[in-house]
Amino acid sequence: MTAIAQPTKLISHERRGVQALIFSLKRNPWLVLVYAVLIGYTVISIYPILWMLFMSLKTNPEVHTNLFGLPQSWVWSHYVHVLTTTRVPRYIFNSAWISMVTVIGVLLLSLPMGFAFGQLKFKGSYLLFMLLLAGIMIPGQTTILPLFLQMKRFNLLDSPLAMIIPYIAAGLPFATFLLRGFFRSLPSELADAAVVDGASTFQVFWHVMMPLTRPAISTLVIFYFMWTWNEFLWAMLVMNREIFKTITVGIYTSYQNQYMFDWPLMSTGLVIVTAPVIVIYLIFQKQFIEGLTAGALKG
Amino acid sequence: MEKKPRIIKQPTRIQVFWRKTVPYQFIILPLAFYFTFFFLPALQSFYLGLFNYDGYSPMKTFVGLDNFRKIIFEDRLFTRAITNNIYWTIGSLVLPLTIGLLLATLFNTKGLFGRGFFRTAIFMPYVLSMIVVAMLWSEIYNPQNGIINRLIEIVTGNASHIAFLGDTHTALISVLLAATWSAVGFYMVIFYAGLQTIPEELYECASLEGANGIQSFFYITLPMLKEVLTVMIVITVIGSFKVFDIIYTMTHGGPLNATEVTATRMIAEAFSYSRFGYAAAYSTLIFLIIAVFSAIYLWLNRRQVGE
């Protein structure tokens, strides 16, 4: 469109790759400095992660002779060792299913609340919502001790429920807040039309409104999956049984005990913890960053 | 929504009640769950702080505010921990926040190529678990064979075996640098989102008037970013009083309590020394500190929340 009105823009638009880069540098020489800083910081960001990956593929003597570079020969035996002789696969499995159950739980409980607070009018809704929102302000540390005693009283310590239940409860304020905003933005005519056709409020929620919140749901899924996967403090406190340990706690305790000084093996464990998160991040970057931005700027 | 004129039979009382309470049916179970497992424990924490309790035996002794008195006036480690929290707050405002803001500003330069790549790369450390960050950086700081000591060797030519995490003078700042590494991407992304809301005409106008890049940063970017900046500062302060994972895994509060913060103290009191009541009083104090900053935060954010 603009090409017709502004022919100069067309020209600059058609430059691609290196040519465009040189063109932009000629127009604004300061860009060289900008690139230098950004590339410099990118190296700082990425190199430690790559270093960890390289380290996991090196042999033990190589750690001393070749600390910085690529592995001389790519040794996969650490991965074989970690995945076949240790409990790491079990930890991964635990983390995966506990994270998934948490995500599903958060959604199942926060969707109806988000809908009610966002679309329905009822007495006390503002007060109840504010009480819920106060949860975002309560630091995790404040709930830890009574929650621990509560779990003990219910005899839930060392059971996966001791992790899942508090994770879900802690996730509700922010999830409800995000969904409420989303439900509010949907036109109420949608609901009215469905009601005229004879739908109940529940049907309106489930069949009309819910499918429209898919973007918010995908943001929440990724956000909470990663959060649960990375959680450490609570998982460490309530879970002492090896078979239910999550990957963060499992890696931390087992490496503290045995592999502290075996860098390639330790790095292998770290790569295994990190790989799923990085893959999910690379695929769903947009949703993840949107969720964070919403959390920081609106929550 | 309750208009249903076609009903011929008079609805029974139960039906009327059911229809009237529809909105509450949506929220009652989730809210009950939330109150039981989140809100109530938070309140119990205040109550627990008034007792001497080891967390195991059935004995609970009411001691009133004695725990608080002991913590504030007698517990030297509390003073140390609070001081470290304050150092950590200042450090987090100086390092990740500032670096993130600078990177976001550079990132916002017109005509920049490869934005997607830079963002992906710089944000990546943030998705790593704190455990991974902590263990990775413990290797990087290693006195025998860590990257940093090796780099110092290469630059100066002398063998270097600095125990960054083992020395009381360097431990806290070393942990803070590791945390900075992981957090910068977060700040950059948020600030970049804030920068994009600033209309470009302002910059064009300023450059027509002869302002250089640094001037437009201080006279346009910063004032326009005021809201985002204040919110981020408050988030940073709140986060600094909550910090736990990375310190616990890297130094365990050591060496010689040099990196002790309130959260590590609280966990140690409860789970190493079985002083649950005392630890609960600790957590109440943390809560009160954070509540002050949260109130500021809510107040700054009142427009979005209260609408």
Side-chain angles (χ1 to χ4, degrees), chain B residues 234 238 285-299:
Chain B
V234 177
I238 295 176
L285 285 174
I286 304 178
F287 173 80
L288 289 177
I289 295 168
I290 292 175
V292 172
F293 292 108
S294 295
I296 300 172
Y297 176 75
L298 261 186
W299 186 75

Side-chain angles (χ1 to χ4, degrees), chain B residues 118-254:
Chain B
F118 286 127
R119 186 178 74 168
T120 306
I122 294 178
F123 188 75
M124 198 177 278
Y126 185 74
V127 303
L128 265 58
S129 168
M130 268 303 165
I131 302 311
V132 176
V133 175
M135 292 168 82
L136 175 60
W137 279 78
S138 300
E139 288 182 20
I140 290 174
Y141 284 133
N142 189 291
Q144 306 309 319
N145 204 22
I147 292 184
I148 296 185
N149 273 313
R150 281 296 190 85
L151 278 177
I152 294 175
E153 264 176 55
I154 291 169
V155 173
T156 64
N158 302 319
S160 163
H161 297 292
I162 303 168
F164 292 98
L165 296 173
D167 186 321
T168 49
H169 298 289
T170 53
L172 192 68
I173 183 80
S174 303
V175 180
L176 181 71
L177 283 174
T180 301
W181 176 75
S182 112
V184 161
F186 169 69
Y187 286 99
M188 189 190 88
V189 162
I190 306 284
F191 281 130
Y192 179 61
L195 285 174
Q196 280 174 311
T197 62
I198 302 176
E200 197 152 314
E201 290 80 37
L202 285 179
Y203 291 105
E204 279 166 12
C205 205
S207 75
L208 281 180
E209 303 267 326
N212 60 28
I214 293 166
Q215 280 171 327
S216 31
F217 177 78
F218 280 105
Y219 292 106
I220 300 173
T221 312
L222 276 187
M224 291 297 283
L225 217 55
K226 209 177 86 193
E227 262 178 54
V228 180
L229 200 62
T230 28
V231 168
M232 291 309 282
I233 288 173
V234 177
I235 289 184
T236 308
V237 174
I238 295 176
S240 302
F241 278 93
K242 288 199 228 178
V243 60
F244 175 80
D245 284 10
I246 192 159
I247 290 182
Y248 182 82
T249 30
M250 280 183 90
T251 62
H252 240 288

Side-chain angles (χ1 to χ4, degrees), chain A residues 35 44 123 141 152 281 299, chain B residues 24 55 113 120 181 242 297:
Chain A
Y35 279 112
I44 296 176
K123 255 188 207 158
Q141 274 104 339
K152 211 172 76 172
Y281 161 65
Chain B
Y24 300 101
F113 284 84
T120 306
W181 176 75
K242 288 199 228 178
Y297 176 75

Side-chain angles (χ1 to χ4, degrees), chain B residues 74-90:
Chain B
E74 287 169 19
D75 193 336
R76 282 212 182 144
L77 286 179
F78 177 75
T79 325
R80 168 69 61 80
I82 279 285
T83 318
N84 280 340
N85 274 122
I86 293 170
Y87 284 152
W88 188 276
T89 311
I90 297 168

